[in-house]
Amino acid sequence: MTTSQRPDATGPADVARDLAPTGVLRASINLGNPVLAQGSPDAPRGVTVDLAREVAARLGVPLELLCFDAARLSFEAMADGRADLCFLAVDPARATEVAFTAPYVVIEGVYVVPHDSPVRVADDVDRPGVRVGVKAGSAYDLHLSRTLAHAEVVRGAEGVEVFAADGLEAGAGIREPATAWVASHPGTRLVEDAFMQIRQAVGTPAGRSDAARRFLHDLVDELKADGFVAASLARSGQTAAVAPPA
């Protein structure tokens, strides 16, 4: 459910109360996306964890990290009021529940196919008889479910795993882990051009005040501009691109 818009906050303390109404900033972390978060629920790390800690520090409130293994679970925690902050791909299907900042990082959705597949570019996938494995509830599941006119989406725990297990014609995934997966699975290859740009942003429940939204928007822009996001990605061994200024 979408919360009604709250009265606009007027100062830092009001913004902190609005973004962390329980007195603790509850941040939803998706460990299912290794570009954004790594480690375990007990010891998560990565750019989203660093961003959550920075937001809490700027607000002057304690931080609680709620870790999930899929974006859809992270989104559900936000939608049902268990989380105050999330780190998800911007998508129209989520925008009714989540107010997003501008993106802080852009990652690419790519296809994996059998080595002898006739698919050479991403557009070749959208043909009758082609089945595409996707991670249920992921940004690329939402995107491909809207945009594929002929190919069939097949959902599972991981796009490349359902592709392999079910003998599908293609599997969808994020470039970095998909590239690593292909390297360890002979007989498969990556379709090099991306089928989508996945814009990862910071989100808060849609009913938060305009001032709270501005605070997050300005903070994300600052952390992109001053190298915070780039340094965090580098520390966690990730090569995804920092998003351009808003």
mmCIF file of all heavy atoms in Angstrom, residues 13-45:
data_model
loop_
_atom_site.group_PDB
_atom_site.id
_atom_site.type_symbol
_atom_site.label_atom_id
_atom_site.label_comp_id
_atom_site.label_asym_id
_atom_site.label_seq_id
_atom_site.Cartn_x
_atom_site.Cartn_y
_atom_site.Cartn_z
ATOM 1 N N ALA A 13 16.354 17.570 11.807
ATOM 2 C CA ALA A 13 15.719 16.665 12.765
ATOM 3 C C ALA A 13 14.404 16.126 12.222
ATOM 4 O O ALA A 13 14.055 14.961 12.415
ATOM 5 C CB ALA A 13 15.495 17.370 14.100
ATOM 6 N N ASP A 14 13.660 16.978 11.509
ATOM 7 C CA ASP A 14 12.403 16.551 10.920
ATOM 8 C C ASP A 14 12.639 15.529 9.818
ATOM 9 O O ASP A 14 11.898 14.549 9.689
ATOM 10 C CB ASP A 14 11.644 17.752 10.349
ATOM 11 C CG ASP A 14 11.327 18.782 11.409
ATOM 12 O OD1 ASP A 14 10.472 18.510 12.253
ATOM 13 O OD2 ASP A 14 11.969 19.850 11.398
ATOM 14 N N VAL A 15 13.675 15.750 9.024
ATOM 15 C CA VAL A 15 14.010 14.799 7.961
ATOM 16 C C VAL A 15 14.395 13.452 8.567
ATOM 17 O O VAL A 15 13.981 12.395 8.084
ATOM 18 C CB VAL A 15 15.148 15.354 7.073
ATOM 19 C CG1 VAL A 15 15.693 14.266 6.139
ATOM 20 C CG2 VAL A 15 14.654 16.544 6.262
ATOM 21 N N ALA A 16 15.180 13.474 9.639
ATOM 22 C CA ALA A 16 15.571 12.226 10.305
ATOM 23 C C ALA A 16 14.350 11.494 10.834
ATOM 24 O O ALA A 16 14.243 10.268 10.695
ATOM 25 C CB ALA A 16 16.558 12.521 11.432
ATOM 26 N N ARG A 17 13.408 12.227 11.448
ATOM 27 C CA ARG A 17 12.191 11.570 11.952
ATOM 28 C C ARG A 17 11.352 11.011 10.814
ATOM 29 O O ARG A 17 10.724 9.970 10.952
ATOM 30 C CB ARG A 17 11.374 12.567 12.777
ATOM 31 C CG ARG A 17 11.903 12.788 14.179
ATOM 32 C CD ARG A 17 10.897 13.542 15.043
ATOM 33 N NE ARG A 17 10.733 14.920 14.586
ATOM 34 C CZ ARG A 17 11.466 15.937 15.029
ATOM 35 N NH1 ARG A 17 12.425 15.730 15.919
ATOM 36 N NH2 ARG A 17 11.261 17.165 14.569
ATOM 37 N N ASP A 18 11.364 11.693 9.685
ATOM 38 C CA ASP A 18 10.564 11.240 8.550
ATOM 39 C C ASP A 18 11.169 10.007 7.891
ATOM 40 O O ASP A 18 10.459 9.056 7.549
ATOM 41 C CB ASP A 18 10.437 12.373 7.531
ATOM 42 C CG ASP A 18 9.306 12.152 6.553
ATOM 43 O OD1 ASP A 18 8.296 11.526 6.941
ATOM 44 O OD2 ASP A 18 9.414 12.597 5.406
ATOM 45 N N LEU A 19 12.488 10.009 7.706
ATOM 46 C CA LEU A 19 13.136 8.879 7.053
ATOM 47 C C LEU A 19 13.336 7.690 7.979
ATOM 48 O O LEU A 19 13.433 6.548 7.508
ATOM 49 C CB LEU A 19 14.494 9.307 6.478
ATOM 50 C CG LEU A 19 14.438 10.198 5.236
ATOM 51 C CD1 LEU A 19 15.837 10.647 4.841
ATOM 52 C CD2 LEU A 19 13.765 9.475 4.077
ATOM 53 N N ALA A 20 13.414 7.937 9.275
ATOM 54 C CA ALA A 20 13.605 6.860 10.245
ATOM 55 C C ALA A 20 12.593 7.030 11.373
ATOM 56 O O ALA A 20 12.946 7.388 12.505
ATOM 57 C CB ALA A 20 15.032 6.889 10.788
ATOM 58 N N PRO A 21 11.306 6.783 11.093
ATOM 59 C CA PRO A 21 10.258 7.083 12.073
ATOM 60 C C PRO A 21 10.346 6.267 13.359
ATOM 61 O O PRO A 21 9.823 6.691 14.383
ATOM 62 C CB PRO A 21 8.959 6.789 11.312
ATOM 63 C CG PRO A 21 9.360 5.892 10.199
ATOM 64 C CD PRO A 21 10.743 6.281 9.823
ATOM 65 N N THR A 22 11.024 5.115 13.329
ATOM 66 C CA THR A 22 11.179 4.310 14.546
ATOM 67 C C THR A 22 12.381 4.755 15.371
ATOM 68 O O THR A 22 12.615 4.233 16.464
ATOM 69 C CB THR A 22 11.345 2.823 14.200
ATOM 70 O OG1 THR A 22 12.593 2.634 13.513
ATOM 71 C CG2 THR A 22 10.193 2.316 13.346
ATOM 72 N N GLY A 23 13.167 5.708 14.838
ATOM 73 C CA GLY A 23 14.407 6.118 15.494
ATOM 74 C C GLY A 23 15.610 5.349 15.007
ATOM 75 O O GLY A 23 16.747 5.671 15.368
ATOM 76 N N VAL A 24 15.386 4.325 14.191
ATOM 77 C CA VAL A 24 16.454 3.523 13.588
ATOM 78 C C VAL A 24 16.212 3.500 12.085
ATOM 79 O O VAL A 24 15.081 3.277 11.636
ATOM 80 C CB VAL A 24 16.455 2.082 14.139
ATOM 81 C CG1 VAL A 24 17.475 1.222 13.406
ATOM 82 C CG2 VAL A 24 16.726 2.081 15.637
ATOM 83 N N LEU A 25 17.237 3.738 11.296
ATOM 84 C CA LEU A 25 17.105 3.661 9.844
ATOM 85 C C LEU A 25 17.206 2.194 9.433
ATOM 86 O O LEU A 25 18.255 1.563 9.571
ATOM 87 C CB LEU A 25 18.195 4.474 9.153
ATOM 88 C CG LEU A 25 18.086 4.539 7.626
ATOM 89 C CD1 LEU A 25 16.858 5.351 7.204
ATOM 90 C CD2 LEU A 25 19.358 5.123 7.020
ATOM 91 N N ARG A 26 16.118 1.656 8.940
ATOM 92 C CA ARG A 26 16.061 0.248 8.532
ATOM 93 C C ARG A 26 16.282 0.166 7.028
ATOM 94 O O ARG A 26 15.439 0.587 6.253
ATOM 95 C CB ARG A 26 14.710 -0.356 8.915
ATOM 96 C CG ARG A 26 14.402 -0.261 10.406
ATOM 97 C CD ARG A 26 12.935 -0.561 10.679
ATOM 98 N NE ARG A 26 12.057 0.384 9.980
ATOM 99 C CZ ARG A 26 10.740 0.246 9.873
ATOM 100 N NH1 ARG A 26 10.132 -0.787 10.421
ATOM 101 N NH2 ARG A 26 10.020 1.151 9.208
ATOM 102 N N ALA A 27 17.445 -0.347 6.637
ATOM 103 C CA ALA A 27 17.826 -0.367 5.225
ATOM 104 C C ALA A 27 17.742 -1.785 4.678
ATOM 105 O O ALA A 27 18.305 -2.729 5.245
ATOM 106 C CB ALA A 27 19.242 0.177 5.052
ATOM 107 N N SER A 28 17.043 -1.925 3.565
ATOM 108 C CA SER A 28 16.864 -3.203 2.902
ATOM 109 C C SER A 28 18.006 -3.424 1.908
ATOM 110 O O SER A 28 18.196 -2.630 0.994
ATOM 111 C CB SER A 28 15.501 -3.199 2.182
ATOM 112 O OG SER A 28 15.273 -4.403 1.523
ATOM 113 N N ILE A 29 18.760 -4.515 2.089
ATOM 114 C CA ILE A 29 19.937 -4.809 1.284
ATOM 115 C C ILE A 29 19.691 -6.080 0.474
ATOM 116 O O ILE A 29 19.326 -7.119 1.037
ATOM 117 C CB ILE A 29 21.188 -5.001 2.171
ATOM 118 C CG1 ILE A 29 21.456 -3.746 3.019
ATOM 119 C CG2 ILE A 29 22.404 -5.364 1.319
ATOM 120 C CD1 ILE A 29 21.825 -2.518 2.238
ATOM 121 N N ASN A 30 19.910 -6.004 -0.827
ATOM 122 C CA ASN A 30 19.713 -7.151 -1.713
ATOM 123 C C ASN A 30 21.045 -7.856 -1.959
ATOM 124 O O ASN A 30 21.825 -7.445 -2.815
ATOM 125 C CB ASN A 30 19.090 -6.696 -3.035
ATOM 126 C CG ASN A 30 18.980 -7.833 -4.040
ATOM 127 O OD1 ASN A 30 18.969 -9.005 -3.663
ATOM 128 N ND2 ASN A 30 18.893 -7.491 -5.313
ATOM 129 N N LEU A 31 21.291 -8.940 -1.225
ATOM 130 C CA LEU A 31 22.512 -9.717 -1.416
ATOM 131 C C LEU A 31 22.455 -10.560 -2.686
ATOM 132 O O LEU A 31 23.455 -11.183 -3.058
ATOM 133 C CB LEU A 31 22.752 -10.623 -0.204
ATOM 134 C CG LEU A 31 23.184 -9.925 1.088
ATOM 135 C CD1 LEU A 31 23.189 -10.908 2.241
ATOM 136 C CD2 LEU A 31 24.545 -9.272 0.939
ATOM 137 N N GLY A 32 21.288 -10.578 -3.358
ATOM 138 C CA GLY A 32 21.167 -11.332 -4.596
ATOM 139 C C GLY A 32 21.803 -10.645 -5.789
ATOM 140 O O GLY A 32 21.929 -11.253 -6.854
ATOM 141 N N ASN A 33 22.194 -9.396 -5.642
ATOM 142 C CA ASN A 33 22.883 -8.669 -6.715
ATOM 143 C C ASN A 33 24.323 -8.440 -6.267
ATOM 144 O O ASN A 33 24.604 -7.524 -5.491
ATOM 145 C CB ASN A 33 22.198 -7.332 -6.985
ATOM 146 C CG ASN A 33 22.805 -6.602 -8.175
ATOM 147 O OD1 ASN A 33 23.980 -6.780 -8.490
ATOM 148 N ND2 ASN A 33 22.007 -5.782 -8.823
ATOM 149 N N PRO A 34 25.274 -9.256 -6.746
ATOM 150 C CA PRO A 34 26.648 -9.181 -6.234
ATOM 151 C C PRO A 34 27.391 -7.921 -6.628
ATOM 152 O O PRO A 34 28.448 -7.633 -6.062
ATOM 153 C CB PRO A 34 27.317 -10.423 -6.843
ATOM 154 C CG PRO A 34 26.506 -10.726 -8.068
ATOM 155 C CD PRO A 34 25.109 -10.342 -7.731
ATOM 156 N N VAL A 35 26.872 -7.161 -7.582
ATOM 157 C CA VAL A 35 27.498 -5.877 -7.895
ATOM 158 C C VAL A 35 27.266 -4.889 -6.758
ATOM 159 O O VAL A 35 28.127 -4.076 -6.435
ATOM 160 C CB VAL A 35 26.941 -5.313 -9.213
ATOM 161 C CG1 VAL A 35 27.489 -3.908 -9.479
ATOM 162 C CG2 VAL A 35 27.276 -6.232 -10.377
ATOM 163 N N LEU A 36 26.104 -4.985 -6.128
ATOM 164 C CA LEU A 36 25.698 -4.006 -5.124
ATOM 165 C C LEU A 36 26.004 -4.420 -3.691
ATOM 166 O O LEU A 36 26.211 -3.565 -2.835
ATOM 167 C CB LEU A 36 24.205 -3.726 -5.254
ATOM 168 C CG LEU A 36 23.714 -3.285 -6.635
ATOM 169 C CD1 LEU A 36 22.221 -3.010 -6.597
ATOM 170 C CD2 LEU A 36 24.485 -2.076 -7.119
ATOM 171 N N ALA A 37 25.986 -5.706 -3.415
ATOM 172 C CA ALA A 37 26.214 -6.169 -2.043
ATOM 173 C C ALA A 37 26.813 -7.565 -2.076
ATOM 174 O O ALA A 37 26.454 -8.389 -2.922
ATOM 175 C CB ALA A 37 24.910 -6.173 -1.249
ATOM 176 N N GLN A 38 27.716 -7.793 -1.143
ATOM 177 C CA GLN A 38 28.361 -9.099 -1.029
ATOM 178 C C GLN A 38 28.363 -9.511 0.442
ATOM 179 O O GLN A 38 27.919 -8.765 1.305
ATOM 180 C CB GLN A 38 29.793 -9.054 -1.561
ATOM 181 C CG GLN A 38 29.951 -8.466 -2.956
ATOM 182 C CD GLN A 38 30.109 -6.955 -2.946
ATOM 183 O OE1 GLN A 38 30.802 -6.397 -2.086
ATOM 184 N NE2 GLN A 38 29.484 -6.277 -3.900
ATOM 185 N N GLY A 39 28.897 -10.688 0.710
ATOM 186 C CA GLY A 39 28.994 -11.160 2.082
ATOM 187 C C GLY A 39 27.762 -11.909 2.523
ATOM 188 O O GLY A 39 27.006 -12.448 1.701
ATOM 189 N N SER A 40 27.527 -11.913 3.821
ATOM 190 C CA SER A 40 26.422 -12.670 4.418
ATOM 191 C C SER A 40 25.488 -11.706 5.147
ATOM 192 O O SER A 40 25.846 -10.551 5.399
ATOM 193 C CB SER A 40 26.983 -13.683 5.413
ATOM 194 O OG SER A 40 27.574 -13.001 6.515
ATOM 195 N N PRO A 41 24.303 -12.187 5.534
ATOM 196 C CA PRO A 41 23.411 -11.319 6.313
ATOM 197 C C PRO A 41 24.048 -10.817 7.604
ATOM 198 O O PRO A 41 23.729 -9.724 8.077
ATOM 199 C CB PRO A 41 22.208 -12.223 6.590
ATOM 200 C CG PRO A 41 22.176 -13.170 5.435
ATOM 201 C CD PRO A 41 23.631 -13.447 5.142
ATOM 202 N N ASP A 42 24.949 -11.605 8.172
ATOM 203 C CA ASP A 42 25.628 -11.183 9.407
ATOM 204 C C ASP A 42 26.759 -10.197 9.145
ATOM 205 O O ASP A 42 27.121 -9.424 10.041
ATOM 206 C CB ASP A 42 26.194 -12.408 10.130
ATOM 207 C CG ASP A 42 25.107 -13.311 10.690
ATOM 208 O OD1 ASP A 42 24.005 -12.805 10.980
ATOM 209 O OD2 ASP A 42 25.359 -14.522 10.804
ATOM 210 N N ALA A 43 27.319 -10.230 7.943
ATOM 211 C CA ALA A 43 28.443 -9.343 7.635
ATOM 212 C C ALA A 43 28.353 -8.890 6.181
ATOM 213 O O ALA A 43 29.201 -9.229 5.354
ATOM 214 C CB ALA A 43 29.765 -10.060 7.898
ATOM 215 N N PRO A 44 27.330 -8.102 5.845
ATOM 216 C CA PRO A 44 27.207 -7.629 4.459
ATOM 217 C C PRO A 44 28.207 -6.517 4.180
ATOM 218 O O PRO A 44 28.654 -5.817 5.083
ATOM 219 C CB PRO A 44 25.774 -7.102 4.409
ATOM 220 C CG PRO A 44 25.500 -6.642 5.807
ATOM 221 C CD PRO A 44 26.241 -7.606 6.698
ATOM 222 N N ARG A 45 28.547 -6.364 2.912
ATOM 223 C CA ARG A 45 29.440 -5.293 2.492
ATOM 224 C C ARG A 45 29.071 -4.914 1.069
ATOM 225 O O ARG A 45 28.255 -5.566 0.428
ATOM 226 C CB ARG A 45 30.901 -5.738 2.578
ATOM 227 C CG ARG A 45 31.259 -6.902 1.678
ATOM 228 C CD ARG A 45 32.698 -7.358 1.869
ATOM 229 N NE ARG A 45 33.072 -8.363 0.859
ATOM 230 C CZ ARG A 45 32.795 -9.643 0.945
ATOM 231 N NH1 ARG A 45 32.140 -10.122 2.004
ATOM 232 N NH2 ARG A 45 33.155 -10.484 -0.009
#
